[in-house]
Amino acid sequence: MRLDKYLKVSRIIKRRSVAKEIADKGRISINGKVTKSSSDVATNDELVIKFGNKTLTVKVNELLETTKKDDAERMYTIVKEDYAQDFRQE
């Protein structure tokens, strides 16, 4: 499955066009390798996604063509979530 479609179906990123834009800027890597939006995602791959201040690392559990909101969370497991600067209040 294409990277941009996986990110949309899994609801990690809400729109496919946004997923494509982020990937094409080199802010997503699969298994440590910077990729494009057309790259293939397979089960057990590790994705590192850089959103501005936040870096999200997820492991791909399964690939589904379409999902309901409840099923989307089964598609991946969050491995790590880092913030360059944490603005959240304690």
Side-chain angles (χ1 to χ4, degrees), residues 8-62:
K8 184 220 179 267
V9 172
S10 65
R11 297 171 191 238
I12 293 173
I13 297 177
K14 300 294 182 208
R15 280 177 258 132
R16 191 168 178 175
S17 59
V18 174
K20 180 182 183 334
E21 184 180 328
I22 291 172
D24 290 343
K25 286 184 177 179
R27 294 168 44 190
I28 300 177
S29 62
I30 299 175
N31 299 325
K33 195 173 173 185
V34 177
T35 60
K36 295 182 181 178
S37 59
S38 60
S39 300
D40 286 328
V41 176
T43 315
N44 295 321
D45 280 351
E46 186 173 272
L47 306 177
V48 178
I49 307 160
K50 295 175 185 162
F51 303 96
N53 187 45
K54 176 180 166 183
T55 302
L56 182 67
T57 305
V58 297
K59 180 177 178 252
V60 178
N61 293 334
E62 61 182 304

